[in-house]
Amino acid sequence: MKWTSREMAEWRRQVFRLLFLALFFFAGVILGQVFSSQVPDAAGEELTRYLTDFLEVERADQSPCAALSAAVLYFRYPLAAFLMGFASIGVVLLPLTTGAFGFFLSFSVCCFTAAFGSDGVLLALAVFGLRCAVTLPCYFLLAVPSLERSVTLACLSFGRGRRTAPVVYGRAWWSRLAVLSGVLLAGMCADLMLTPLFLRQLLERMLAG
């Protein structure tokens, strides 16, 4: 299928928005690594206590609390990105949210690796691996079109949108949310089933040693 010049231009704009947000994400990753080096050594003991408590709590029936917590972790960034597409302030908030996503992810992983060495890499993979594999693509698939609409709304707000097409939230907009919500829900369910098993094996091996 041969693309028209208009379709090529739109594709380039989408790639530019993706790269723009990715730049903020990787800047957050770098900042997370920098700030993690300032964490005191006592953080390792706190993480050990947290993981030890996890072994005890996980034995009890905490499924409603675990599901609610997992839902927050999976949906908070993608849903925030989607909602920012309804406001002109999203032009500012979307890059900042993307940077915060990268920062807190990088900071958490670095804390695990600093506290537990090579075992920390496996722990971080168990805790964040599946979640990141699901939430990161979903986030950017929602953030890029949201940024487009936020830019349009900002142009209209400042009187520079006379030649700008009206902001449309059509079927594709809502269908994307529905499909990605299903993906996030499936990932959350898989996380709830698989992560505790993998993490328990790692923790028992580490704590036994």
Side-chain angles (χ1 to χ4, degrees):
M1 179 179 178
K2 188 176 181 180
W3 285 15
T4 65
S5 58
R6 182 176 180 180
E7 291 172 334
M8 285 295 297
E10 177 60 26
W11 181 80
R12 292 192 187 97
R13 286 194 292 269
Q14 295 288 350
V15 172
F16 173 78
R17 297 183 191 107
L18 176 61
L19 293 176
F20 176 73
L21 292 175
L23 180 64
F24 279 86
F25 179 82
F26 286 113
V29 169
I30 294 172
L31 285 175
Q33 294 176 348
V34 172
F35 278 87
S36 66
S37 63
Q38 308 299 322
V39 176
D41 295 336
E45 299 178 0
E46 294 178 2
L47 281 174
T48 301
R49 287 196 299 269
Y50 166 78
L51 295 175
T52 304
D53 292 339
F54 174 85
L55 286 176
E56 300 299 327
V57 173
E58 197 265 331
R59 291 191 181 97
D61 184 12
Q62 297 289 333
S63 53
C65 294
L68 179 60
S69 177
V72 172
L73 292 173
Y74 267 78
F75 283 87
R76 56 181 176 176
Y77 286 112
L79 185 58
F82 175 78
L83 293 176
M84 289 176 199
F86 293 96
S88 59
I89 193 64
V91 173
V92 176
L93 293 182
L94 267 169
L96 293 179
T97 301
T98 307
F101 194 170
F103 173 84
F104 288 111
L105 175 60
S106 174
F107 183 83
S108 301
V109 171
C110 289
C111 286
F112 271 94
T113 55
F116 302 106
S118 58
D119 287 330
V121 177
L122 294 177
L123 283 173
L125 181 62
V127 175
F128 306 112
L130 179 59
R131 189 199 314 166
C132 289
V134 175
T135 57
L136 271 175
C138 290
Y139 174 80
F140 281 103
L141 285 170
L142 291 171
V144 170
S146 289
L147 181 61
E148 175 189 4
R149 284 159 176 79
S150 294
V151 169
T152 303
L153 290 171
C155 291
L156 292 172
S157 298
F158 288 98
R160 306 175 99 180
R162 296 177 181 177
R163 297 182 180 180
T164 303
V167 181
V168 178
Y169 301 96
R171 179 179 298 178
W173 172 266
W174 298 104
S175 297
R176 184 185 297 108
L177 175 65
V179 171
L180 294 179
S181 295
V183 172
L184 290 168
L185 184 60
M188 184 191 78
C189 293
D191 202 337
L192 288 171
M193 290 186 293
L194 299 177
T195 298
L197 298 176
F198 185 31
L199 189 55
R200 170 174 285 281
Q201 292 179 356
L202 286 174
L203 293 177
E204 288 178 343
R205 180 175 63 84
M206 291 172 56
L207 297 175

